[in-house]
Amino acid sequence: MFPPLGFLYIMDVTGEATLMTQPISIWILGNQLLTDHPALLRAEEQAAKQDIRVLLIESQYLLDHRPAHPARLILLLSAMRHYADHLRKAGFEVDYREAPSFRKGIQDHLKMYNPPRLLSMAASGHNGKEFQQTTLPEISSIPIEIIPNTQFLVGQFNPYPQPDPDKQYIMEYFYRELRKHFQILVDGQGNPTGGKWNYDQQNRKPLPGDIHIPPLPTFPPDKVTQQVTAQLSPRFKPRKMGFDFNLAVSHEQAARALKDFIQNRLQDFGPYEDAMTSRSSVIFHSHLSPYLNIGLLTPLQVIHAVRQAYQNSEIPLNSAEGFIRQVLGWREFMYWQYQRDMPELKNGNYWHADNPLPTFFWDGETKLNCLQEVTHRALTFGYNHHIERLMILCNFCTLAGINPQQVLDWFMANYVDAYPWVMVPNVIGMGLHADGGKIGTKPYISSANYIQKMSDYCQDCKFDHNARTGVEACPYNFLYWNFLLQHQERLSSNPRMALSLSNLRHLDQEEREKVQEQADTFISRLE
């Protein structure tokens, strides 16, 4: 049996056991910056704060081993350092280390402090979990306790605790079960508020040209953030920061960002959540995912705040439900699917796509106006809202047969909210349908018609969104029809693709050959 937390038994010269106070150690990962961290709560049940030492590690390996957007690195390190200050003010001792790797940082910590036990919360990522399960026991002879992850609600309630590996699970039903369990927008009998589980039909409006788009709140860098930026700036070359970093880096600032969203953008989030415009990369979206993904905000904190705003009649039901579905539905479902299907999920390539990612994804230089706008935003600010990621970027990559793992690498490198648990299922599964349909019920593909309807990108584009083939035809058009022709047999097994496939009857043999020829030529010239 383990000794009590915070204490170490030693033997004196008489052979009597003596109880000595010895601080235990808690390793908190950089994307687990929770105010109510379960490892801290677990330790405080049996030990005083002075008998608890928190370990935080800036791993140089994680900073170096793959490209990352400057905004993500600055946010992560600045938030970690602010969190360390928060813990010290709360009375904890903190060992904040810059180390070549987690392994080295933990080894040095154990050698210096010789704690009786080590506690940590389960990592959200597959590699992090594997490190905790295999490497930690190898490098330590002390008892290790890994506490379940509380950053996701499926850790508290899992609708499908023993999933069938061959079964397709539908997000909508998953979402309903979580709504009922956590009593979110339901009555006493578990029925949805307003009589409907979702309001998608009300939430697909294009953006009016004269509507006011509120700016995001900004948080000028303090001394800590300035030091982090100066420290990291050599890593950004030759990639230069094209923006002034002004994201929230503390729990207090993140809470202000949440309040700003509810007061200034949530009202119109629902109707225009699928809209896209050259005027803004955020429009009425929350821009809270960077904070949720590292623990500056928690899912229930955000969900309860939105629900309260609805109950106070500050926002309409379709906006409240639409946003809650993003957090309680899609976010939790993606994490659940990631845990279910890794590590096989990241290697999915259902369409056998092997074309290289075009260079314009890395420099934003393309004549396709929508892609130029969206890639520039990602490269500069590290953010696009979910429809731009899905229906501009992933749509193009699916239609053009781009290798899914190269697309995933690009997403991991270019977003401020990029972590494996969110990017792998969203890109490989939902975005590219490269998992064969385990996550999404159909491929999210479209011609230029959808982009023209839901955005203003086509207005200033050199390509004709109405033309299927020809010199001025929008590539989304001939790529879309070519994809349907190329994968008709596989797509025919999906009932949700029946209408799209039925439209192939409008293409005679000559038109089909033109579509295929132009698609092949376009793809061959992408590089």
Side-chain angles (χ1 to χ4, degrees), residues 28-72:
I28 296 180
L29 280 70
N31 59 356
Q32 298 180 345
L33 309 180
L34 300 167
T35 52
D36 294 326
H37 196 284
L40 289 174
L41 298 177
R42 171 80 174 91
E44 287 188 278
E45 290 175 357
Q46 300 186 31
K49 286 184 177 178
Q50 63 265 26
D51 295 320
I52 301 170
R53 182 180 287 113
V54 178
L55 170 63
L56 289 163
I57 303 172
E58 288 184 9
S59 166
Q60 300 307 302
Y61 171 77
L62 283 186
L63 295 177
D64 293 339
H65 88 291
R66 71 162 74 216
H69 197 281
R72 186 170 76 85

Side-chain angles (χ1 to χ4, degrees), residues 189-317:
Q189 287 72 47
N191 299 311
T193 300
K196 295 181 179 180
W197 285 106
N198 74 63
Y199 292 84
D200 273 352
Q201 294 302 320
Q202 298 180 31
N203 293 358
R204 295 172 178 169
K205 295 181 180 179
L207 194 72
D210 58 353
I211 196 169
H212 172 66
I213 301 175
L216 284 175
T218 59
F219 303 92
D222 62 7
K223 186 177 180 180
V224 172
T225 303
Q226 291 172 9
Q227 290 173 342
V228 168
T229 304
Q231 173 188 332
L232 292 177
S233 60
R235 297 175 179 271
F236 303 151
K237 297 177 181 179
R239 178 176 184 163
K240 298 180 180 179
M241 284 179 55
F243 68 103
D244 294 322
F245 182 89
N246 54 21
L247 298 178
V249 293
S250 68
H251 299 99
E252 295 77 15
Q253 290 181 343
R256 283 164 50 194
L258 170 60
K259 183 177 180 180
D260 180 88
F261 166 62
I262 291 173
Q263 291 180 341
N264 297 315
R265 300 191 302 286
L266 182 54
Q267 169 79 21
D268 292 311
F269 169 80
Y272 306 116
E273 67 173 296
D274 286 3
M276 300 174 284
T277 177
S278 57
R279 298 164 55 198
S280 171
S281 62
V282 177
I283 314 179
F284 300 111
H285 289 258
S286 71
H287 202 271
L288 298 177
S289 56
Y291 313 134
L292 275 166
N293 290 359
I294 62 173
L296 295 185
L297 294 172
T298 66
L300 281 181
Q301 175 187 3
V302 172
I303 290 167
H304 287 161
V306 171
R307 180 180 62 179
Q308 189 61 53
Y310 165 71
Q311 292 174 343
N312 294 344
S313 301
E314 298 170 13
I315 57 171
L317 179 57

